[in-house]
Amino acid sequence: MLNITPLQPLFAARIEGVDAAQPVAAPVMAALRDALDRYSVLVLPGQHLDDAAQIAFSEGFGALEQTRPGALGAGSAVIVLSNMGPAGEIVAPSDKQVLNNKANRLWHHDSSFKPVPARASLLSARQIPSAGGNTEFAFMRGAFAALDAAEQQRLKQLAAWHDFGWSRARVDAALVSDAERAQHPPVRQAVVLQENPYGPALYLGAHARSIDGMGDAESRALIESLMAHATEDRFIYSHRWSPHDLLIWDNRAVLHRATPFASTTERRHMVRTTVAGQGPTIAAAA
Ligand code: OGA
Ligand code: MN
């Protein structure tokens, strides 16, 4: 039914045999959901999608998030990641659109700063630069599995504070407004997610500010050493985009980031839909 070709020894696969612009039969959709659980990143080449088609296909994975105020596409189910203005012009480097793209160059899980963070993201390439602008993934199930048992046990007990205002301000002070800070107060997330049928995953990324109950210095040291481990080459798949690629990733199993490109002279225009998580990563604080 689906033609699945692994792209990396541990995770990520190319999927052929499905047209995402047409209604997808239930057994095919079930196979795609299982492939997402198993491979965590799916690459579907040759998908000619407009926003409506991308939304309809994405809904096969679950209910979609609405785009947060302050991002391009706010209030709809699509978020636009682009360095182009409404007339197709390249926007200034100081533009919030470009700063948001800069923030995406840090390893992150989409919406880990929300009380119920995203499950999956679907990203389609509408316009790509001639070089650079890859999307890279780090396999957090593999990173967890490679830790020794005592460390795994210890990490399973921990929660991290994810703080959008803090992480955005680290990229650029102009990137986060008081309204956005108020919209996204810090939230606690499990450091190890144990919901995937193929194994537990580390869960950290750019929004993870500190470890609950741990001092700042010790928190930063632990988070940074785990991030360095998780982003070793052996856990990475770097996707070089072709026109009409559609990527699907499991935010609860991989980190991702964008790589730089010549953003003042070349255009890059991507459209994302985001599948909501089915529940919090940790029981609500008592
Ligand atoms: C995203 C994202 C990276 C990229 O769509 O959530 O972080 O390569 N994208 O555009
Ligand atoms: Mn992202």
Side-chain angles (χ1 to χ4, degrees):
M1 158 171 30
L2 293 178
N3 191 353
I4 302 180
T5 312
L7 293 169
Q8 201 271 12
L10 297 176
F11 76 115
R14 183 170 62 243
I15 305 284
E16 281 143 333
V18 60
D19 180 354
Q22 301 298 324
V24 178
V28 177
M29 206 59 234
L32 281 169
R33 286 193 300 263
D34 181 64
L36 184 61
D37 283 343
R38 162 72 183 82
Y39 291 100
S40 304
V41 177
L42 306 179
V43 177
L44 283 68
Q47 303 295 340
H48 294 254
L49 298 173
D50 59 15
D51 293 356
Q54 185 168 336
I55 288 169
F57 177 70
S58 301
E59 283 172 338
F61 293 88
L64 303 186
E65 286 190 358
Q66 295 291 297
T67 299
R68 63 177 180 81
L72 206 57
S76 79
V78 298
I79 178 165
V80 177
L81 298 92
S82 174
N83 67 337
M84 288 160 62
E89 77 282 10
I90 293 179
V91 297
S94 59
D95 194 283
K96 190 163 180 186
Q97 248 173 270
V98 176
L99 294 179
N100 270 326
N101 294 343
K102 196 172 150 201
N104 283 336
R105 292 188 190 157
L106 303 177
W107 289 111
H108 63 281
H109 306 282
D110 287 334
S111 48
S112 73
F113 52 83
K114 293 184 181 175
V116 176
R119 170 67 208 287
S121 295
L122 296 91
L123 189 65
S124 67
R126 307 295 176 86
Q127 189 151 352
I128 54 175
S130 62
N134 281 18
T135 306
E136 300 192 324
F137 298 91
F139 187 42
M140 296 298 256
R141 285 199 283 117
F144 182 79
L147 297 171
D148 69 53
E151 177 75 343
Q152 290 181 340
Q153 254 338 96
R154 178 172 90 103
L155 295 176
K156 281 182 180 175
Q157 316 305 316
L158 300 181
W161 286 97
H162 289 239
D163 184 342
F164 180 81
W166 172 82
S167 58
R168 280 302 200 257
R170 288 183 102 192
V171 175
D172 194 300
L175 195 45
V176 57
S177 66
D178 290 345
E180 283 171 293
R181 271 181 211 279
Q183 178 102 19
H184 304 294
V187 293
R188 282 191 330 158
Q189 308 290 8
V191 166
V192 181
L193 305 186
Q194 303 186 59
E195 60 192 43
N196 188 295
Y198 294 93
L202 283 175
Y203 192 73
L204 289 166
H207 304 299
R209 175 178 188 165
S210 63
I211 302 295
D212 193 36
M214 208 180 260
D216 280 351
E218 199 189 345
S219 282
R220 291 313 310 157
L222 178 58
I223 292 170
E224 281 161 24
S225 85
L226 288 170
M227 287 291 294
H229 162 72
T231 56
E232 286 174 20
D233 282 351
R234 60 186 164 141
F235 302 125
I236 303 296
Y237 169 67
S238 184
H239 186 69
R240 166 141 187 73
W241 289 89
S242 297
H244 308 298
D245 282 346
L246 172 68
L247 259 61
I248 311 174
W249 65 85
D250 181 350
N251 282 299
R252 295 182 177 215
V254 294
L255 290 164
H256 64 281
R257 69 172 180 186
T259 70
F261 68 100
S263 59
T264 57
T265 53
E266 290 208 68
R267 289 170 171 75
R268 185 175 191 265
H269 188 90
M270 318 290 282
V271 175
R272 191 182 97 202
T273 39
T274 313
V275 180
Q278 291 202 315
T281 66
I282 196 172

